[in-house]
Amino acid sequence: MQLDSPSQFSKTTLTLHWIVAITVISLLAVGIYMDETGTHSLYPWHKSFGFVIFFVILARVIWRIKNGWPVPVSQYQSWETLLAKVVHYVLIFGTILMPLSGFLMSAYGGSGVDVFGIEVVARNIDPENPMKSMPHNKAIASFAHETHGLVGYTLVGAVILHIAGALKHHLIDKDGTLRRMLGSSV
Ligand code: HEM
Ligand code: HEM
């Protein structure tokens, strides 16, 4: 498969970046919305897309290791390069931790995981009230829940910084950083 060059990103890098970017931004928005408003009808969709995107995220991490990190388009101040690097790491690790913690929260919490109608982990039905689920392990479920919330909000901050950085490159530095991620040769 073709690797990235300093002037042009490969189709693999572009496809993986944008599939993960759009899905993760949507999952963050839907996750916060359904949690704040208690919209339970959205939970199966959130779980299904969150489960499936995990495999794309893994493919992306393997690709990043194989391909190496992108070479900066130009020379920047050292704080800027460091901030971009830290944000990239938060984005990569955050996107791995979110599906894992979400899965563990639902599996050990007893509500189960259905992926587009296919049962991956069965619901643990409460025999006294079949409408309710019973946790398999409360401690693991609540640790995973805390992690999902904490990492989720950290990711929101990192995505905002990341988009601000991309816009700064495009509008203030007027360099090719964003254009390269959109497929142009710079
Ligand atoms: C509208 C939203 C987004 C824009 C405009 C955008 C833009 C960019 C640009 C221009 C780069 C190249 C940076 C460079 O050349 O050094 C990049 C890289 C990267 N972006 Fe985004 N991005 C967005 C959303 C996201 C999201 C939501 C994530 C993760 C959840 C993400 C993760 C990454 C990572 C890890 C890199 C490092 C290079 C790579 O692994 O492919 N981005 N992004
Ligand atoms: C990249 C993947 C994912 C992202 C970005 C994401 C994001 C979020 C966010 C931001 C919240 C709101 C958290 C809060 O306010 O405390 C949330 C809630 C939730 N997520 Fe995810 N999620 C992902 C994957 C998953 C997966 C795979 C599952 C289960 C299989 C899952 C199950 C849930 C559940 C059940 C809630 C509601 C928790 C509650 O009722 O308090 N998520 N998600």
Side-chain angles (χ1 to χ4, degrees), residues 20 23-36 38 40 43-44 46-54 57 94-107 111-115 145-153 155-156:
V20 173
T23 314
V24 167
I25 291 175
S26 311
L27 283 168
L28 288 170
V30 168
I32 291 170
Y33 175 80
M34 69 188 201
D35 193 45
E36 295 276 321
H40 285 268
Y43 278 41
H46 181 86
K47 291 184 187 184
S48 301
F49 279 102
F51 183 89
V52 170
I53 199 65
F54 180 59
I57 288 167
T95 49
I96 297 170
L97 285 175
M98 286 310 280
L100 284 179
S101 56
F103 184 84
L104 291 177
M105 155 177 45
S106 301
S111 63
V113 182
D114 266 23
V115 177
H145 196 164
E146 293 278 323
T147 307
H148 206 66
L150 209 77
V151 177
Y153 282 100
L155 255 187
V156 171

Side-chain angles (χ1 to χ4, degrees), residues 6-7 19-20 79 93 134:
S7 62
I19 290 179
V20 173
W79 67 265
F93 283 107
M134 271 193 329

Side-chain angles (χ1 to χ4, degrees), residues 67-100:
N67 183 87
W69 287 94
V71 181
V73 167
S74 168
Q75 286 272 326
Y76 304 102
Q77 306 225 11
S78 54
W79 67 265
E80 222 179 315
T81 316
L82 180 70
L83 182 63
K85 193 101 269 186
V86 170
V87 170
H88 285 168
Y89 272 105
V90 173
L91 292 172
I92 295 261
F93 283 107
T95 49
I96 297 170
L97 285 175
M98 286 310 280
L100 284 179

Side-chain angles (χ1 to χ4, degrees), residues 4 9 13-14 16-18 20-25 28 57 60 63-64 68-73 84 87-92 94-95 155 159 162-163 165-167 169 176-182:
D4 293 348
F9 282 161
T13 289
L14 299 175
L16 290 173
H17 175 269
W18 289 112
V20 173
I22 291 164
T23 314
V24 167
I25 291 175
L28 288 170
I57 288 167
R60 180 152 187 263
W63 176 248
R64 183 58 46 236
W69 287 94
V71 181
V73 167
V87 170
H88 285 168
Y89 272 105
V90 173
L91 292 172
I92 295 261
T95 49
L155 255 187
V159 170
H162 183 64
I163 296 175
L167 290 177
H169 280 295
T177 305
L178 180 59
R179 278 185 286 116
R180 188 171 63 168
M181 198 36 112
L182 290 169

